Amino acid sequence: MSAHSTHAYTGEAPKVWPAKVNQIPKEVFGDAALFEEELKKIFYGDTWHAVGHAAEVPNIGDFKTFDLGRVPLLIARGKDNQVRVFFNSCTHRGNQLETSVSGNRKEFECPYHRWLFSLDGTLAACPGSKEFAPDFKQENFGLAEIKTEQFLGLIMVTMGNPPPLKEWIGESGLPTLTALLGGDGRLKLLGYQKVRYASNWKGYNDNDGYHAPLLHTGFRLLNWQGGKGFQRMTENGHVIFEAELKPATGNGFLKDPSLIAFKGSNPERGSVITQLFPMTVMTKHMDVINLRFAIARSHEVTEVHYAYFAHEDDSEELVQHRIRQSSNLLGPCGMVSMEDAAIFQRIHIGNQTPGFAEFQKGVTSLTEIPMDVKQNDETGNLPRWEHYRKVMGFKREGEQ
Amino acid sequence: MSQAITAAHTSAIDALHTAYVAALDQGDMAAWAATFAVADETSYFCISAENDRRGLPLALMYDDCRGRIDDRVSFVTKVWVGTYQPYRTRHFIQRLSCESAGNNQYRVTSGFMIMMTPEGGATTILTSGEYRDLIEIQGEGDNARAVFRERRTVYDADVLPRYIVFPF
């Protein structure tokens, strides 16, 4: 699946962006050296990144591990019920502290020299410390925390200095994200689907979330139509989307149309998406609540952990409905989204060619980044590309 | 193996496993569905070992009635065609246990491995895992035929190496 860019990025000469705002140079999708720059400027830069939801670690001692770029993280709920995000590295010699994907611990012990950390990160024990360096103080060697903020349980981290989280998401995006998180963030984890796509993270991101329904034959077969809605973008690359979904009966195509019934959600707000820069897609589609925690593994591999949730107040019947709808609708094998997954990989292969990815639908100006787009326009991606271009420091053709 | 099982039943269970593998390795979704009972209370689940171990109910494929199994066939054969990158599979299975569950039914567990070959590509492992089945013998003697009332596929991969079109 690997391919070579015809214009290898050297890390020295910045890429030049075309003057036309609806063109994206395809060389940004296949470049290993560029990926290293993106790690520094975006993934370790002044941007918040979603790494989990508090509902994934509901009990004291629950933890999950995750990666931000190549940086291993350990997310744990302490005895004080606080969820903290640590670097998953012993503060002694740097050994990876926790190897499991998830679990429950009373404390975290590094097997190398038996340093023992409490759930709140405090270094509780370190055998033989009498012989440690003269300036050693046990209280200085608690687990290092990465800067963290939460919004309704959504755990965001950064290694840089972005604005406070709510400001960074933007006032205009908060009501949609709130609705998506069940109104109050009191979610209950149903489980995961985890997959690696042979796709650059930007290609994944450009085609996940909302895109033209033309791809989905199923929508037509099921007579499954969207209604009115809106798409809103922010200057720093987020996309907020809401649309009505007309309840579908399956048009006789399905033997079991109960799968696509609305049981807990208002169809008027049937499809709700928050896509945060650089690569977090979250959606509530019908009765599916799905947060996609993504990891940019390399310039050609993107890993996505689809986490699905119910709401704590759901009836048992609704939980059961969410389980079967979530399992079958939106993941890497989902009735709707298997096709998306196919596109992530096909577009990555197609992008290893010279020239530009061209955006068309909804483009009204070749020089202005569109900020006012219609629900079905593909131009919703352009402000994010503009933000990417600026963060990466790429100049536009003709720009000084 | 339970002593109670007859040669005819063992043979029927073997034939069912073979039919299942043959169906998927030939990409024949109708033949895949035909290995399941026609009764409404028939199910196919495909779930990650992580979810299974943690008691999380979410699956990759959640077909909790016969209608869902038929709808999966419709989606693979009628809706997704032309979208996905084709891949061929080879399933290898090894029966681990077989116990009578009464009423001509057996709880059968098998290990499996699925090799995958994308068109134009090399062969790699898609995943391994375990089949946990409730198999029913229908008919008597030489006419005995086995079908799945429930197949629970628990796959080992914590992270799948690609998107998935076909059942495991």
Side-chain angles (χ1 to χ4, degrees), chain A residues 102 190 192-196 221 255-256 259 308 320 324 326-328 332 334-335 338 341-342 345-346, chain B residues 50-51 54 56-60 62 64 68 70-72 75 80 82-83 85 158 160-164:
Chain A
S102 66
L190 296 178
Y192 301 95
Q193 295 166 340
K194 298 181 181 178
V195 65
R196 281 188 176 191
L221 284 173
K255 286 193 176 170
D256 177 19
L259 185 79
Y308 297 88
Q320 193 53 39
R324 67 200 301 268
S326 298
S327 296
N328 290 322
M335 272 168 52
M338 190 293 295
Q345 300 198 176
R346 288 177 69 159
Chain B
E50 181 190 355
N51 285 348
R54 294 172 64 178
L56 296 170
L58 192 105
L60 182 70
Y62 196 102
D64 55 355
R68 279 287 320 143
D70 292 330
D71 287 343
R72 181 166 303 284
F75 257 79
W80 291 345
T83 309
Q85 297 146 309
D158 278 344
L160 289 165
R162 59 160 291 150
Y163 62 90
I164 301 299

Side-chain angles (χ1 to χ4, degrees), chain A residues 228-342:
Chain A
K228 57 181 187 299
F230 66 82
Q231 183 177 197
R232 225 181 262 147
M233 291 80 56
T234 67
E235 299 273 355
N236 59 347
H238 311 320
V239 180
I240 317 296
F241 176 92
E242 287 194 25
E244 181 185 0
L245 279 181
K246 303 257 165 64
T249 58
N251 217 15
F253 183 77
L254 293 180
K255 286 193 176 170
D256 177 19
S258 70
L259 185 79
I260 54 170
F262 277 97
K263 293 198 176 170
S265 303
N266 180 356
E268 285 179 14
R269 225 175 180 181
S271 179
V272 174
I273 301 168
T274 301
Q275 185 165 7
L276 299 177
F277 183 87
M279 62 178 316
T280 303
V281 176
M282 294 171 282
T283 183
K284 191 194 71 60
H285 193 88
M286 307 191 76
D287 293 316
V288 177
I289 302 172
N290 181 209
L291 310 183
R292 300 173 188 167
F293 302 114
I295 305 169
R297 291 284 181 205
S298 73
H299 67 294
E300 55 190 3
V301 176
T302 302
E303 185 169 312
V304 185
H305 297 183
Y306 295 74
Y308 297 88
F309 300 87
H311 191 272
E312 281 184 17
D313 295 342
D314 287 348
S315 66
E316 262 181 54
E317 186 198 356
L318 180 53
V319 171
Q320 193 53 39
H321 173 65
R322 287 198 205 271
I323 292 166
R324 67 200 301 268
Q325 196 171 69
S326 298
S327 296
N328 290 322
L329 216 58
L330 292 187
C333 180
M335 272 168 52
V336 171
S337 56
M338 190 293 295
E339 296 162 334
D340 299 358

Side-chain angles (χ1 to χ4, degrees), chain A residues 39 43-44 66-73 86-88 146 159:
Chain A
L39 282 179
F43 293 99
Y44 308 155
F66 197 72
D67 295 325
L68 172 60
R70 298 195 186 105
V71 176
L73 302 176
F86 305 106
F87 293 109
N88 187 11
I146 187 171
M159 289 171 68

Side-chain angles (χ1 to χ4, degrees), chain B residues 16-168:
Chain B
L16 176 64
H17 278 128
T18 306
Y20 187 92
V21 166
L24 286 179
D25 288 355
Q26 290 162 25
D28 185 343
M29 286 297 293
W32 170 78
T35 62
F36 291 86
V38 293
D40 189 45
E41 302 78 29
T42 300
S43 58
Y44 170 72
F45 299 104
C46 179
I47 186 170
S48 71
E50 181 190 355
N51 285 348
D52 181 72
R53 185 176 61 244
R54 294 172 64 178
L56 296 170
L58 192 105
L60 182 70
M61 305 180 214
Y62 196 102
D63 300 338
D64 55 355
C65 61
R66 176 69 209 198
R68 279 287 320 143
I69 291 172
D70 292 330
D71 287 343
R72 181 166 303 284
V73 175
S74 300
F75 257 79
V76 173
T77 58
K78 293 178 188 157
V79 178
W80 291 345
V81 175
T83 309
Y84 62 86
Q85 297 146 309
Y87 63 96
R88 301 186 298 277
T89 60
R90 296 279 169 195
H91 290 62
F92 298 88
I93 61 171
Q94 170 71 59
R95 195 153 74 227
L96 300 171
S97 70
C98 178
E99 283 169 15
S100 174
N103 300 321
N104 281 339
Q105 293 185 332
Y106 295 90
R107 291 271 169 206
V108 182
T109 314
S110 314
F112 70 84
M113 179 175 68
I114 308 174
M115 307 300 288
M116 152 182 85
T117 311
E119 240 175 65
T123 306
T124 55
I125 294 177
L126 180 59
T127 186
S128 54
E130 191 168 287
Y131 291 129
R132 297 175 195 161
D133 304 325
L134 179 63
I135 292 175
E136 183 171 272
I137 308 290
Q138 299 177 339
E140 301 276 334
D142 288 348
N143 294 321
R145 173 179 176 269
V147 289
F148 294 113
R149 287 306 294 264
E150 181 183 319
R151 165 153 272 196
R152 185 175 173 85
T153 300
V154 181
Y155 62 89
D156 291 328
D158 278 344
V159 180
L160 289 165
R162 59 160 291 150
Y163 62 90
I164 301 299
V165 178
F166 303 105
F168 290 170

Side-chain angles (χ1 to χ4, degrees), chain A residues 95-97 109-115:
Chain A
N95 194 41
Q96 178 195 27
L97 185 60
E109 187 187 41
C110 179
Y112 197 12
H113 302 90
R114 302 291 162 196
W115 283 31

